Amino acid sequence: MESCAGMPEGPSVRKFHHLVSTFVGQQVVKTGGSSKKLSPAGFQSLWLQDTQVHGKKLFLRFDPDEEIGSSGNNPLPESLQKGERKEEARAQQQALGPSSQISDQPSLSLELVDSSGEDGLECLGGDTPAGGAERWLQVHFGLFGSVWVNEFSRAKKANKRGDWKDPVPRLVLHFGGGGFLAFYNCQMSWSSSPVVKPTSDILSEKFHRGQALEALGQERPVCYTLLDQRYFSGLGNIIKNEALYRAGIHPLSLGSLLSPLRLGVLLDHVVEFSADWLQGKFQGKQQHTQIYQKEQCPAGHQVMKEAFGPPGGFQRLTWWCPQCQPRLPPDEPEQV
């Protein structure tokens, strides 16, 4: 029911959380999946008691006994909770269509090409039963990571061998209520409790604006800082590109050279774009991008594309407009 063309960002994982939450209080009656390091059989007869979300990570609590958990986060922000359940369900069907698929990206970029067409990540952690202290399953989605509800993902293109093989789910959980969840391309591990820091989660009501601005003001390119999950959990490449363009800031601008006003505008665009993206998912709307994977910006200028990232770190494709996002001289702070 939910799929991503690239690595899921905060809005998508929040949607995953909402979909999974509908199974809370149900018992696992049948299991499957390709995981070898975390045996699907270990989930047999367990009860899904709670789900939480933080940034790009999803947490599921399993217990051997039937008891209703009460510590989970509400899967929707307050702005989406009031009287929108029916509209949300209707919009979800419109957005998903017959194949029940939601995509984070308008099209695939070169950095996200999956040549095999199959699930490629191994799960982390040992084959630990969800008993005792190890009751929380941590799920981190990789490229093309997804959660499907009551159906399986289907191949959309041939792999290197020319075979149209469907992706193999890493984990499949059938519940007593009759439905099932299928997890694709993800890392999983057992933990004693969710590892959460809501002050850094861009979609949390507890997101700390002051800490975020302090991080952005460092003497490093802002495009590096934006993708740092310690400060901006849930922020991914699409949000990074869009927020920088809308704020008129070159990706390699040093945060220390930008004025507090400009950093504040950039942060506003991060939060606004992320919240709009999430809300659009529940209203069946396609997220509109202005610069990401575009050849021209809205002003008609030629868009540049290059991989940027910290030395020795992960390089991410970045789109920007040299005219709308001029680069500041490295030794001249921006004037307010």
Side-chain angles (χ1 to χ4, degrees), residues 54 197-202 207-208 211 229-233:
H54 176 67
K197 186 181 177 185
T199 54
S200 67
D201 189 331
I202 59 174
F207 180 64
H208 197 292
Q211 292 178 359
Q229 298 299 295
R230 294 176 300 174
Y231 310 117
F232 296 94
S233 183

Side-chain angles (χ1 to χ4, degrees), residues 111-167:
E111 66 176 331
L112 300 177
V113 172
D114 181 3
S115 58
S116 68
E118 297 183 12
D119 207 0
L121 287 185
E122 282 290 297
C123 294
L124 298 179
D127 182 15
T128 305
E134 304 294 317
R135 293 186 172 184
W136 287 91
L137 180 70
Q138 175 178 299
V139 184
H140 185 269
F141 298 93
L143 295 180
F144 306 94
S146 60
V147 175
W148 290 69
V149 179
N150 299 335
E151 64 179 309
F152 295 103
S153 176
R154 302 301 180 188
K156 300 175 182 63
K157 62 178 181 179
N159 57 27
K160 286 183 177 180
R161 297 184 297 273
D163 299 328
W164 284 78
K165 288 187 175 181
D166 291 333

Side-chain angles (χ1 to χ4, degrees), residues 28-250:
V28 177
V29 296
K30 182 180 177 182
T31 65
S34 64
S35 174
K36 295 181 175 61
K37 295 186 178 180
L38 194 152
S39 174
F43 293 86
Q44 186 71 36
S45 299
L46 297 179
W47 294 80
L48 177 60
Q49 300 294 5
D50 196 3
T51 66
Q52 295 189 23
V53 62
H54 176 67
K56 298 181 180 181
K57 294 181 179 180
L58 181 65
F59 298 90
L60 293 79
R61 174 173 170 165
F62 290 91
D63 286 303
D65 302 316
E66 181 179 7
E67 55 183 37
I68 301 300
S70 59
S71 60
N73 296 338
N74 195 298
L76 293 176
E78 287 186 359
S79 60
L80 293 177
Q81 291 175 24
K82 301 177 181 179
E84 293 193 5
R85 296 298 178 179
K86 292 183 179 179
E87 176 186 347
E88 164 193 316
R90 183 168 57 252
Q92 179 176 316
Q93 288 300 320
Q94 295 174 354
L96 299 180
S99 63
S100 296
Q101 179 187 15
I102 287 182
S103 175
D104 274 357
Q105 306 181 10
S107 59
L108 296 181
S109 67
L110 294 178
E111 66 176 331
L112 300 177
V113 172
D114 181 3
S115 58
S116 68
E118 297 183 12
D119 207 0
L121 287 185
E122 282 290 297
C123 294
L124 298 179
D127 182 15
T128 305
E134 304 294 317
R135 293 186 172 184
W136 287 91
L137 180 70
Q138 175 178 299
V139 184
H140 185 269
F141 298 93
L143 295 180
F144 306 94
S146 60
V147 175
W148 290 69
V149 179
N150 299 335
E151 64 179 309
F152 295 103
S153 176
R154 302 301 180 188
K156 300 175 182 63
K157 62 178 181 179
N159 57 27
K160 286 183 177 180
R161 297 184 297 273
D163 299 328
W164 284 78
K165 288 187 175 181
D166 291 333
V168 178
R170 186 62 63 194
L171 177 67
V172 181
L173 301 176
H174 293 262
F175 292 88
F180 70 89
L181 293 169
F183 295 82
Y184 291 87
N185 200 24
C186 55
Q187 297 173 326
M188 298 181 177
S189 60
W190 289 109
S191 62
S192 58
S193 64
V195 182
V196 298
K197 186 181 177 185
T199 54
S200 67
D201 189 331
I202 59 174
L203 285 169
S204 171
E205 295 178 353
K206 297 181 180 180
F207 180 64
H208 197 292
R209 184 179 178 88
Q211 292 178 359
L213 289 172
E214 182 179 358
L216 283 172
Q218 298 178 79
E219 190 177 355
R220 66 188 302 221
V222 286
C223 72
Y224 298 177
T225 305
L226 286 173
L227 291 180
D228 193 327
Q229 298 299 295
R230 294 176 300 174
Y231 310 117
F232 296 94
S233 183
L235 195 154
N237 206 32
I238 298 176
I239 300 173
K240 176 201 76 176
N241 281 275
E242 291 300 309
L244 286 170
Y245 174 74
R246 295 168 194 222
I249 296 175
H250 190 283

Side-chain angles (χ1 to χ4, degrees), residues 245-261:
Y245 174 74
R246 295 168 194 222
I249 296 175
H250 190 283
L252 294 180
S253 295
L254 299 182
S256 57
L257 299 182
L258 294 171
S259 69
L261 177 61

Side-chain angles (χ1 to χ4, degrees), residues 220-221 224 308-315:
R220 66 188 302 221
Y224 298 177
F308 294 142
F314 193 52
Q315 308 292 303

